[in-house]
Amino acid sequence: MIKINENYKKLKASYLFSDIAKRVAQYSEKNPDAKIIRLGIGDVTRALPPVCIEALHRAVDEMSQDSSFMGYGPEQGYEFLREKIAHHDFQERGVNISADEIFISDGAKCDTGNIQELFSQEINIAVPDPVYPVYVDTNVMAGRTGENIEGRYENLLYLDSNEGNNFVPAPPQERVDLIYLCFPNNPTGATATKAQLQEWVDYARENDSLILFDAAYESFIRDESLPHSIFEMEGAREVAIEFRSFSKNAGFTGTRCAFTVVPKECRAFYSEGKPTQLHPLWLRRQSTKFNGVSYPVQRAAEAVYSDAGREQIGELTDFYLGNAKIIIFTMTELGYKCTGGVNSPYIWVNVKGNSWEAFDRILNRAAVVCTPGVGFGNCGEGYIRISAFNSRENVLGAMERIGEALK
Ligand code: PLP
């Protein structure tokens, strides 16, 4: 008898996006002429920057000739890309990260999901609430949690993110082994200061813990005082792994390219207490289970770091931040308290009531789709997430309608 991994039974089916789709379909049926504007999901809407398209075309042409054809690439990613990342994303900002500490992948989602394979079943884990669901579900699948009871899994420590802590939880009193942090945050749009991240790094050092730092939205940071990388913190190289992505800065959501930074000093421990480097383990894992990102896509990602590329992604992210400003303006005018949207493409709105009721009100009265905050965790109840990833026309239209509908 072929038996399944019964941990999958514990997964609380993610009804969030299917529930949203169902309600939108019902609304559509009743209002066939309504032009629905979707500010719900976190997918980008604008085309790839021209530099990336040019690099893609060139690389595709190379693939057409035997003399320049590229087959399997290095498992860690091509050096031409890793060098650019190390230089521009880290060394130029005074952060000590070298090209051989970077692992190119096809997504921060896969990497944040796969990384937990390196750790024992027995570890205890802290996740923020609200949370990017991948951090939780991958650990459920691996059997590190108990059952889901009233929206929370047993054996996970939830770090409440709320208005009281500006959606940046402080380290807990108790010790945990593995900590997931994400700044700028999805879904709240909150950002962490250097002092706050330093506190987490100090906690991880004192407790022999490890921080998994998801910086997928780093390129939206405009406030000069905010850290772009966990490795700006003193002592972080031993206790943190960082995830980055080309999805949101350069619109690679459908093209797929990301990277993970595992410093050479970064360590975990054998059961008898002996430390061991995580870098060779991640390399072993990736070279066993992953065959790299395609050559044309890595060339397109490399183009992001050219002068023109940096200008073009600056323009792209500025554009979405412009949308965010419009959203914040309207929602604030209507009397709602907003978090995020300044160094982040997400606006987290306190709807002063139930998340789903607010979702339905906005859909039924304004034909605009947002995301109910409770779908990201119990602490998300009372909030909605509005995404700035859309055209200017749609954002202006959506805000005009919401302004009329909720006045
Ligand atoms: N991490 C966070 C916090 C995200 O919100 C997302 C996508 O929405 C990802 C990672 C996924 O990134 P990628 O497209 O590189 O898989």
Side-chain angles (χ1 to χ4, degrees):
M1 182 166 65
I2 172 69
K3 291 187 180 163
I4 59 144
N5 173 356
E6 299 220 359
N7 293 312
Y8 276 65
K9 281 206 317 205
K10 292 185 205 150
L11 284 169
K12 190 171 171 288
S14 176
Y15 292 124
L16 177 64
F17 288 103
S18 57
D19 264 6
I20 292 175
K22 235 185 270 163
R23 289 177 197 224
V24 174
Q26 277 166 5
Y27 173 81
S28 262
E29 217 169 278
K30 278 195 222 140
N31 304 275
D33 297 330
K35 276 207 157 53
I36 296 170
I37 301 177
R38 291 164 202 276
L39 301 180
I41 34 176
D43 198 358
V44 295
T45 53
R46 288 198 45 192
L48 292 179
V51 279
C52 298
I53 294 295
E54 287 153 22
L56 269 175
H57 279 298
R58 274 196 306 274
V60 169
D61 285 342
E62 283 181 67
M63 299 298 258
S64 72
Q65 306 292 323
D66 289 349
S67 58
S68 51
F69 166 79
M70 307 290 273
Y72 289 125
E75 281 113 350
Q76 229 187 301
Y78 284 102
E79 199 171 335
F80 61 75
L81 177 56
R82 290 186 290 108
E83 285 289 351
K84 296 268 175 19
I85 292 170
H87 180 68
H88 293 291
D89 281 334
F90 297 99
Q91 293 158 8
E92 258 184 4
R93 303 185 58 85
V95 180
N96 172 21
I97 291 295
S98 60
D100 61 355
E101 294 173 320
I102 291 163
F103 295 78
I104 308 298
S105 79
D106 58 351
K109 181 176 188 174
C110 329
D111 286 357
T112 52
N114 291 332
I115 196 85
Q116 46 77 30
E117 280 185 29
L118 301 191
F119 310 111
S120 143
Q121 287 299 105
E122 278 82 53
I123 56 169
N124 44 52
I125 300 170
V127 292
D129 180 357
V131 66
Y132 177 55
V134 175
Y135 312 153
V136 173
D137 288 357
T138 50
N139 280 294
V140 176
M141 291 170 178
R144 290 198 187 85
T145 70
E147 297 298 328
N148 188 303
I149 297 177
E150 291 177 9
R152 288 188 162 187
Y153 287 96
E154 297 168 314
N155 305 342
L156 280 188
L157 178 71
Y158 287 86
L159 304 165
D160 289 0
S161 310
N162 48 41
E163 282 173 21
N165 56 20
N166 286 322
F167 301 97
V168 183
Q173 295 300 320
E174 57 269 66
R175 75 163 297 286
V176 285
D177 299 306
L178 191 66
I179 302 135
Y180 288 83
L181 294 178
C182 172
F183 294 108
N185 188 264
N186 178 16
T188 68
T191 48
T193 63
K194 283 185 181 165
Q196 286 167 324
L197 286 190
Q198 188 64 58
E199 231 190 296
W200 274 108
V201 168
D202 294 344
Y203 170 92
R205 292 179 70 87
E206 279 157 27
N207 291 285
D208 290 338
S209 321
L210 184 78
I211 297 170
L212 300 177
F213 188 73
D214 187 342
Y217 297 95
E218 168 276 335
S219 60
F220 292 89
I221 294 175
R222 293 294 180 276
D223 180 338
E224 304 257 327
S225 70
L226 291 173
H228 288 242
S229 166
I230 189 91
F231 300 118
E232 289 177 45
M233 307 309 125
E234 214 170 300
R237 285 179 58 84
E238 287 85 357
V239 298
I241 289 175
E242 181 163 305
F243 305 91
R244 297 260 189 121
S245 174
F246 294 98
S247 284
K248 310 296 163 93
N249 63 348
F252 276 47
T253 50
T255 309
R256 312 305 304 147
C257 198
F259 60 93
T260 288
V261 186
V262 188
K264 293 283 174 62
E265 293 92 322
C266 187
R267 86 296 172 259
F269 299 85
Y270 288 110
S271 47
E272 73 272 17
K274 193 169 147 259
T276 186
Q277 286 177 299
L278 288 170
H279 186 284
L281 292 191
W282 186 240
L283 180 61
R284 186 75 173 82
R285 191 269 170 211
Q286 289 297 80
S287 44
T288 303
K289 297 194 177 181
F290 182 60
N291 249 339
V293 174
S294 77
Y295 172 73
V297 168
Q298 291 195 57
R299 279 294 183 201
E302 180 196 23
V304 164
Y305 295 98
S306 63
D307 289 345
R310 296 169 90 190
E311 208 178 297
Q312 288 169 19
I313 64 161
E315 193 271 323
L316 258 186
T317 45
D318 277 346
F319 171 80
Y320 292 125
L321 287 170
N323 285 347
K325 210 169 173 175
I326 294 165
I327 296 167
I328 293 174
F329 179 81
T330 306
M331 299 313 288
T332 310
E333 282 274 288
L334 289 167
Y336 297 103
K337 199 167 170 191
C338 297
T339 305
V342 182
N343 296 287
S344 151
Y346 296 125
I347 299 96
W348 189 241
V349 184
N350 182 337
V351 289
K352 301 183 272 193
N354 178 281
S355 282
W356 276 111
E357 278 171 25
F359 171 89
D360 285 334
R361 210 160 47 238
I362 291 172
L363 175 62
N364 292 317
R365 295 194 197 160
V368 174
V369 182
C370 61
T371 314
V374 69
F376 297 100
N378 289 358
C379 288
E381 180 53 282
Y383 295 85
I384 55 167
R385 188 192 74 175
I386 304 183
S387 161
F389 292 124
N390 216 310
S391 67
R392 184 58 47 85
E393 189 192 352
N394 277 348
V395 168
L396 285 170
M399 290 304 116
E400 199 182 311
R401 290 192 211 161
I402 288 180
E404 279 301 311
L406 300 187
K407 187 158 72 175

